[in-house]
């Protein structure tokens, strides 16, 4: 093979390295065909050419995006969660899974766990992550979604976006030619679902038979995707909140989950009695009652409304004997959860936080294979 490349090296000297490799491999194939060596030599030359062509077009060009957890089928969701357990146990098997790939991370809302887990995951798999702050220049304002998405598709392999609204995720996904991962908007939080259900699998040994009780403000992205994900798995979720419209899950999500449950046998129940919501549940979950945009006056109002729905020891006492406590963090002890619960023996919140890393790695591995 080493004697089969063109002797006219000067003609190639001005070409980019990939172009030179391509021409040299084409010359190899020409030689193979010319001399009729269609055995092992032909196979080697063909494989070399295919590998070069792959490297020249290595970016995944498809329109698969993760907007909500229901963009995955139940089978795909379960597969990725099980893969995450394997990635966690045998990280060295995946050291090159994202080799020479770039993840572009767009942040309109800051997050400790999201940035560090994605960036660390890319590094551990041989890739590179770029963090870009768009808080001062929101998507779709200075430049159209279409233009932004088309440009970024020329640079990166995956776009991850943590933004204020569903509109921003849709604007990117509708126009990008590379996958878009929703790392949080006001409608969904699918990356958190990968970590949450990996944790449930690790602690319970199964994804079947889940009975989850979610406490507090049930009109938010985490609640919505927990409702979707539990429904996909045929489990039961009770959303436990005040009987006030601003804390209730929206009707569109309830209808969406009803359609899923008609196929899976799952169940979504809205409950207002704090103890009845937890009775017999094997997963107790809550989330922060605060957000960066909430004013001090609104904080006091929310605390008064939600105080009865704080996860405390009496709630854990009526839950299943093998129940676990989950919180996607950050947490404020004494608000949505009592200190003796989040720091108690049933709490798995730090395993849950760690699994953001493994779940997202598993998803990107699966995505690269699929692309």
């Amino acid at each position: 093979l080493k004697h089969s490349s063109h002797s006219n090296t000067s003609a190639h000297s001005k070409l980019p390295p990939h172009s030179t490799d391509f021409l040299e491999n084409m010359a190899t194939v020409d030689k193979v065909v010319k001399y009729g060596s269609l055995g092992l030599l032909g196979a080697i030359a063909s494989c070399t050419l295919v590998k070069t062509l792959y490297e020249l077009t290595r970016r995944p060009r498809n329109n698969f995006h993760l907007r909500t957890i229901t963009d995955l089928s139940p089978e795909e969701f379960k597969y990725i969660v099980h893969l995450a357990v394997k990635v966690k146990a045998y990280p060295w098997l995946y050291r090159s899974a994202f080799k020479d790939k770039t993840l572009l991370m767009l942040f309109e809302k800051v997050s400790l766990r999201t940035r560090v887990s994605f960036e660390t995951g890319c590094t551990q798999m041989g890739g590179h992550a770029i963090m870009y702050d768009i808080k001062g220049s929101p998507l779709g304002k200075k430049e159209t979604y279409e233009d932004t998405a088309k440009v970024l598709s020329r640079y990166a392999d995956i776009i991850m976006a943590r933004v204020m609204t569903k509109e921003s995720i849709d604007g990117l996904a509708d126009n990008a030619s590379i996958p878009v991962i929703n790392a949080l908007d006001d409608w969904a939080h699918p990356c958190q679902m990968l970590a949450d259900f990996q944790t449930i699998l690790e602690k319970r040994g199964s994804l079947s038979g889940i009975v989850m009780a979610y406490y507090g403000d049930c009109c938010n992205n985490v609640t919505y995707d927990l409702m979707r994900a539990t429904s996909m798995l045929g489990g039961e979720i009770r959303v436990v909140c005040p009987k006030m419209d601003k804390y209730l899950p929206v009707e569109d999500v309830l209808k969406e989950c009803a359609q899923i449950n008609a196929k899976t046998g799952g169940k979504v129940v809205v409950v207002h009695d704090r103890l009845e919501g937890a009775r017999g549940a094997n997963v107790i979950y809550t989330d922060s009652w605060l957000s960066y945009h909430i004013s001090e006056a609104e904080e006091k109002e929310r605390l008064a409304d939600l105080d009865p729905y704080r996860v405390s020891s009496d709630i854990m006492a009526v839950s299943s004997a093998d129940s676990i406590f989950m919180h996607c963090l950050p947490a404020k002890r004494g608000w949505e959860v009592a200190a003796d619960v989040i720091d108690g023996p049933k709490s798995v919140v730090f395993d849950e936080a760690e699994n953001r890393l493994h779940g997202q790695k598993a998803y990107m591995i699966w995505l690269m294979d699929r692309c």
Side-chain angles (χ1 to χ4, degrees):
L1 284 175
K2 69 179 181 179
H3 296 298
S4 63
S5 59
H6 285 313
S7 59
N8 185 13
T9 55
S10 61
H12 300 166
S13 60
K14 295 181 181 179
L15 293 171
H18 281 310
S19 301
T20 304
D21 292 345
F22 178 78
L23 289 173
E24 289 177 350
N25 281 302
M26 287 300 293
T28 300
V29 174
D30 288 342
K31 292 278 188 177
V32 169
V33 174
K34 180 177 179 181
Y35 293 107
S37 302
L38 300 178
L40 178 61
L41 186 61
I44 294 172
S46 297
C47 289
T48 306
L49 176 60
V50 168
K51 181 177 183 297
T52 302
L53 289 172
Y54 170 75
E55 289 299 325
L56 289 171
T57 59
R58 64 181 180 79
R59 294 194 180 98
R61 297 293 175 183
N62 80 338
N63 59 355
F64 182 77
H65 309 295
L66 186 62
R67 307 185 202 212
T68 76
I69 198 62
T70 50
D71 282 323
L72 299 171
S73 70
E75 293 72 25
E76 289 169 335
F77 181 38
K78 286 185 280 189
Y79 174 83
I80 294 167
V81 169
H82 279 85
L83 177 60
V85 175
K86 184 180 177 183
V87 169
K88 183 177 182 178
Y90 309 106
W92 57 88
L93 294 177
Y94 306 95
R95 286 180 297 186
S96 300
F98 208 59
K99 187 178 187 309
D100 297 331
K101 302 291 191 294
T102 298
L103 172 72
L104 177 62
M105 306 184 297
L106 302 177
F107 280 89
E108 189 176 8
K109 292 185 74 173
V110 297
S111 172
L112 172 69
R113 276 154 290 277
T114 299
R115 178 180 177 181
V116 176
S117 59
F118 264 111
E119 193 162 337
T120 301
C122 284
T123 301
Q124 289 178 350
M125 296 192 295
H128 176 57
I130 300 171
M131 187 274 188
Y132 187 71
D133 186 350
I134 59 169
K135 187 175 181 180
S137 181
L139 295 170
K141 303 299 182 185
K142 184 179 178 181
E143 184 176 48
T144 65
Y145 290 120
E146 183 177 14
D147 288 356
T148 300
K150 285 183 176 180
V151 169
L152 297 181
S153 296
R154 304 292 183 99
Y155 295 153
D157 297 283
I158 301 175
I159 299 170
M160 181 227 82
R162 183 179 171 91
V163 293
M164 296 292 186
T165 67
K166 178 179 182 292
E167 178 190 354
S168 295
I169 293 294
D170 287 342
L172 279 176
D174 289 344
N175 294 286
S177 60
I178 59 174
V180 173
I181 298 174
N182 178 6
L184 180 142
D185 62 14
D186 60 348
W187 189 242
H189 198 350
C191 294
Q192 186 64 50
M193 298 306 103
L194 300 174
D196 289 347
F197 286 85
Q198 178 189 346
T199 307
I200 291 171
L201 175 61
E202 290 174 342
K203 301 304 178 183
R204 301 195 67 250
S206 174
L207 291 173
S208 61
I210 295 170
V211 181
M212 180 181 293
Y214 179 94
Y215 277 79
D217 181 359
C218 296
C219 183
N220 67 62
N221 45 25
V222 172
T223 316
Y224 296 163
D225 257 2
L226 285 171
M227 291 166 63
R228 296 177 181 118
T230 306
S231 297
M232 288 166 65
L233 297 172
E236 177 181 344
I237 181 168
R238 307 162 187 170
V239 288
V240 191
C241 61
K243 198 173 184 179
M244 304 169 69
D245 286 346
K246 62 183 178 180
Y247 300 119
L248 290 168
V250 295
E251 192 63 29
D252 285 351
V253 176
L254 289 170
K255 289 179 179 177
E256 180 185 2
C257 291
Q259 292 174 349
I260 298 170
N261 288 325
K263 300 176 183 177
T264 65
K267 187 177 181 181
V268 173
V269 186
V270 178
V271 183
H272 303 300
D273 185 307
R274 61 188 298 274
L275 292 181
E276 280 305 308
R279 203 170 301 279
N282 48 40
V283 178
I284 306 296
Y285 199 121
T286 192
D287 190 7
S288 174
W289 294 349
L290 301 177
S291 189
Y292 296 108
H293 65 278
I294 293 175
S295 66
E296 186 176 342
E298 191 178 352
E299 276 188 25
K300 293 179 180 178
E301 181 182 337
R302 287 174 68 83
L303 181 58
D305 293 339
L306 294 169
D307 189 64
Y309 297 90
R310 177 183 301 112
V311 177
S312 51
S313 57
D314 61 338
I315 286 177
M316 298 303 298
V318 299
S319 67
S320 171
D322 63 349
S323 65
I324 57 175
F325 171 74
M326 303 182 73
H327 191 308
C328 56
L329 303 181
K332 189 165 184 179
R333 289 160 175 80
W335 281 57
E336 70 271 10
V337 60
D340 63 338
V341 172
I342 194 170
D343 298 320
K346 291 196 170 190
S347 177
V348 297
V349 298
F350 297 110
D351 293 325
E352 181 185 3
E354 178 190 343
N355 286 342
R356 284 292 301 273
L357 170 66
H358 310 300
Q360 289 158 187
K361 286 172 67 176
Y363 178 73
M364 289 190 287
I365 291 166
W366 175 83
L367 184 60
M368 290 294 98
D369 287 344
R370 190 179 191 276
C371 291

